[in-house]
Amino acid sequence: MNRLTMRRLATEIGSTPMALYHHVRDKEELLVLLLDDYAARALRRPAAPPADPRERVIAAATAIHEVLSACPWTVDVLTADDLLSTSALWHVEQIVDGLTECGLSLDDAVHGYRTIWYYTAGEIVVRATAARRRATDDRPTYRDRVFTDLDPTELPRLAEASSRWGPLTAENTYATGLQALLNGLLTTPA
């Protein structure tokens, strides 16, 4: 949230910082209002959520991911962890409820939601940051230069994948990762 300034927000919405302060007390109040408005418009509830609790968790997390991916600055705000949109809570409820119906205690379901949120937010932040960097610089990335010179005797697997590393890590694997994460959350400890 520190990277978000009133100036940056004003530019994003086509206004000036002083005009924003005329309507809101501070940056946090404005951010909450913007988040809630965006969530209310973009994060739609399905007419009938999936009956299967596992599928309900996947559907709600995927909906959150899609909406936030379309507007990545919102993730910067939400990672402050105390600003949230009440319009998005229905989806959070679906995740927590689905996890409890899959056998987790309420406390574990809340922790499970947090794990899914961290995965979702992290995935969006990494992709958005990488896209911003690639948009402003067409030189080979530092990663590309490092992977070109890997010593196959020291790092055999990475050296083997080095020519495909960029395209592989650019693939959208959110759904696969979410499934794997959910499998782990729902595994009963031995």
Side-chain angles (χ1 to χ4, degrees):
M1 188 170 88
N2 291 335
R3 294 185 339 206
L4 292 173
T5 64
M6 288 299 272
R7 181 179 315 277
R8 182 174 169 198
L9 285 170
T11 300
E12 184 83 20
I13 64 172
S15 185
T16 65
M18 291 311 294
L20 297 178
Y21 283 120
H22 180 71
H23 298 284
V24 293
R25 178 176 36 136
D26 57 20
K27 180 173 73 171
E28 286 186 353
E29 182 180 355
L30 175 63
L31 291 172
V32 169
L33 291 169
L34 288 170
L35 284 172
D36 201 50
D37 179 66
Y38 180 65
R41 287 183 290 111
L43 197 53
R44 299 285 180 216
R45 296 179 186 186
D52 178 69
R54 185 184 179 89
E55 290 306 313
R56 202 164 54 249
V57 170
I58 300 271
T62 300
I64 291 169
H65 179 266
E66 288 172 0
V67 166
L68 296 179
S69 291
C71 197
W73 71 264
T74 57
V75 176
D76 287 343
V77 174
L78 293 169
T79 56
D81 208 32
D82 64 343
L83 300 177
L84 60 102
S85 165
T86 55
S87 296
L89 290 180
W90 183 87
H91 286 78
V92 175
E93 170 73 16
Q94 298 308 302
I95 293 170
V96 172
D97 183 58
L99 292 172
T100 59
E101 284 190 37
C102 286
L104 297 183
S105 70
L106 181 57
D107 289 2
D108 287 342
V110 170
H111 293 303
Y113 160 73
R114 299 292 294 175
T115 302
I116 291 168
W117 164 243
Y118 292 155
Y119 168 65
T120 301
E123 198 271 348
I124 293 167
V125 167
V126 168
R127 288 191 179 282
T129 302
R132 271 194 308 275
R133 288 180 60 131
R134 283 191 302 273
T136 59
D137 190 351
D138 60 352
R139 296 177 296 173
T141 65
Y142 181 73
R143 179 193 64 209
D144 292 339
R145 292 193 311 249
V146 168
F147 270 71
T148 298
D149 296 328
L150 290 178
D151 179 355
T153 59
E154 184 180 344
L155 305 167
R157 295 291 182 210
L158 295 179
E160 181 181 359
S162 66
S163 65
R164 300 183 321 278
W165 193 268
L168 285 171
T169 59
E171 291 177 11
N172 182 350
T173 59
Y174 178 78
T176 304
L178 181 59
Q179 288 281 356
L181 184 60
L182 190 55
N183 289 344
L185 288 169
L186 298 177
T187 299
T188 306

